[in-house]
Amino acid sequence: MPLKIFNVQLRLGKSQGLFYGLILAVACLLISFNFSWAATAAAKHYTELELAPLPEIRLPEYERFVMENGLVVYLMENHDLPLVSGLALVRTGDRWEPSDKIGLAGFTGAVMRTGGTKKHSPDQINQMLEQRAAAVETIIGGSSGVASFDALSEDLETVFDVFAEVLREPVFDEKQLDLVKTQAKGSIARRNDDPDDIASRELQKLIYGQDSPYARTMEYATVNNIERKDLVEFYRQYFHPNKMILGIVGDFQPQKMRSLIQGKFGDWPAQPQITQPQLLEVRPANTGGVFFVDQPQLTQSSVLMGHLGGRFDSPDYAALDVLNGVLNGFGGRLLNEVRSRQGLAYSVYGYWSARFDHPGMFIAGGQTRSDATVQFIQALQAEIKRIQTQPITAKELAFAKESTLNSFIFNFQDPAQTLSRLMRYEYYGYPADFLFRYQKGVEGTTEADVQRVAREYLKPEQLVILVVGNQSAIKPPLTKLAASITPIDVKIPTSPLQAQN
C-alpha cells in the first residue's frame, strides 16, 4: 500500500475513533442527565425531610488530680491516633497589665516561646520541634494565659521537655522582644484600615469606657514603655504551679504520663502568698447616643449598636441564646426582615454576647449602603422592639431551639475540645456539667421565656449607636436619629519616632 494512502487511512481511522468517542461521551452525559433529573424530581422539600434524633452526648472518661504544689491536672486518654496534646491555663491576662504599658501581657506570652529558655536558644527549640512535626505555643489574652503543645506519641518526652522549659525557664530574649514590639507598631499603624475593626474597637470603648481593661488600646507610647525587665516581672507575678491548670489528651499511658508530669513540674515551688488582683466593677460608660467616625473613602457604612450585657452563669442565659436564634441566621427575623424584605443590609445580626466572669455586651449591626444608613438603623431598632412586644410564634421557637441544639454537638467534636472546655469551667469557677445544664435550659425554653428575657435584658432606649462611614454620602443625615451626633477621632496619636522622643 502506498505510504500516502496509508497515511490518509490512518487519519481517517483516528477521525472515526474520535467521532465514536464523542458519541459515547454524549451518551454518557445524557444518561447522567436523565438520572440526575429523575433524582431531582424525586427529591423532597427540606420541610419534608425526616432526620434522626441527635445522639446522647457523654463526656469521655478523664482523671483529675492536684499535685502537692497546687498544680491541677486533667488526663484524658484517646488512642485513636498516635498523638498527644497538652494545654496549660494560667491565671493571668492583659486586663491586669499597667495602663501605661498596654501590650505587656501579649508581649510576655509571645516572647516566652520565641525568646528561648535557659537550656535552649530560640533556633534550637525551633529546630527540635520542626524535626518532629511538633509545636509548642504560648499566648496571653484578655483573661487568661495559654501554653500548649502537640506531638507524636513517640516524641512525647522530648516535646514535653521543651514545653516544661518554656513554662518554667523562659529567658525573654531582648532581640525577640524588639521584633514583637516592631510588629505591634505595624499593627497600630494599620488599625484603621478596616472599618469593621474601627467599629468594633470604638464600640467597646463607648460601652466599657476607653480606660477599661476590656476596651483600652495599645499605642506607640505604651509599646515604647515596655522593657525586658517588665516581661520578667509580669511572668514572675503570675506563672506559678498553684495558678495553673494542666490538661493532657491523647495516646499515652496514664502512669507514665503521671511520672512525666511529676518529673517536670513536681519540684516547681508554689507561691501561696501571691493573690490574684480583684476584678474591677464594670459599669456602662454610655447609655445611649449616636456616634460617628468619618471615613470619606468609604462607599458603605459599618454600623454597630449595643449596650452592656451579662454573664454565662445568668439563670436566663439559655433563653437568651434561644433569643439569639430567633433573631439571627437564615430564617431569623433580622435576615428575613432587614436584608431579604427591606433590602437594607449586606449583613445583619443581633447577639446577646455573654462572658465568663464579667459582663459582655448586646451587639447588633451590619453593613449597608451609605444612603440606606438611617433606614438600616431604624429597621434594627424596630426589630429589637418588636421581639419585646410581639410574641414569637411556635414555629420561630422550634426553629431557634432546633438550631441551637443541633449546634450543641459541635462542642464535643474531639476529646481535646471537650477537655479544654472542662478546664475553662474550672478556671472560671463553673460546674463541670454547666454545658449540660445549658442544654436542658434550651430544651425547656418557651415562647413566653423568650419574650420575657427580651423585655428584661434588651434596652432599646440605652443602645449606643456607632456609624463608620462617609458623612457626605449618608442621606438622610444621622441627625434624623438624634439632634446631637458625637464625632469620634480615630487618628493615631503619634508616629513611632515621635513616641520615642
Side-chain angles (χ1 to χ4, degrees), residues 136 365 368 410 435 460:
V136 173
T368 187
F410 293 105
L435 201 57

Side-chain angles (χ1 to χ4, degrees), residues 90-92 108-109 112 138-140 145-147 166-167 234-244 268-269 271:
V90 186
R91 297 190 183 279
T92 184
T108 303
M112 271 187 70
T138 56
I139 188 172
I140 297 178
V146 175
V166 169
L167 270 174
F234 193 89
Y235 168 82
R236 287 176 178 170
Q237 185 174 0
Y238 294 106
F239 282 75
H240 305 284
N242 53 314
K243 299 296 182 182
M244 294 172 53
W268 193 2
Q271 294 291 338

Side-chain angles (χ1 to χ4, degrees), residues 105-117:
F107 294 172
T108 303
V111 184
M112 271 187 70
R113 163 62 182 87
T114 63
T117 68

Side-chain angles (χ1 to χ4, degrees), residues 182-199:
T182 299
Q183 292 170 338
K185 290 176 182 178
S187 177
I188 293 171
R190 297 187 301 272
R191 74 184 182 196
N192 290 333
D193 290 354
D194 188 327
D196 290 340
D197 290 345
I198 296 174

